[in-house]
Amino acid sequence: MANELQVRTERDEFRELVSMAFEEAAGAFDGLHSIHGSIAERAFRRTGPGGAPAHWMHDRIATAVYGGLKGSVVGVGRVTTAAVARRPRVV
């Protein structure tokens, strides 16, 4: 029947597309972190040994921030993918 709701049992392409989109968005933070690190390395190279503590702290904070951003996108992606998988299908 045209208005009957059925449970999804076949492969859901939309769910897979949503999952892939969030994986790509999360992966973008790896590239941004790499670019940020390259720029920071160039800047800290000029500070010499006196800048080592600031360089160390900067690297730890940047890693935590980019990791948190990536983790947030991965988490939202999992929740969204689960929500998409649970939506009813009208046939």
Side-chain angles (χ1 to χ4, degrees):
M1 301 191 130
N3 293 329
E4 184 177 326
L5 296 179
Q6 293 181 348
V7 177
R8 294 178 180 275
T9 56
E10 73 281 353
R11 186 170 171 215
D12 189 353
E13 290 182 10
F14 181 64
R15 181 175 52 91
E16 293 296 323
L17 182 61
V18 168
S19 177
M20 286 174 44
F22 277 98
E23 287 174 18
E24 287 298 315
F29 288 108
D30 290 332
L32 290 172
H33 186 206
S34 177
I35 292 169
H36 181 144
S38 297
I39 293 169
E41 187 64 37
R42 186 177 299 168
F44 280 114
R45 199 176 302 142
R46 296 180 185 267
T47 63
H55 187 188
W56 182 85
M57 186 63 83
H58 170 272
D59 289 349
R60 298 314 173 271
I61 292 170
T63 298
V65 168
Y66 283 107
L69 291 170
K70 182 178 179 178
S72 296
V73 172
V74 167
V76 169
R78 288 180 182 162
V79 169
T80 304
T81 301
V84 166
R86 294 178 57 109
R87 75 189 192 286
R89 177 176 180 217
V90 178
V91 288

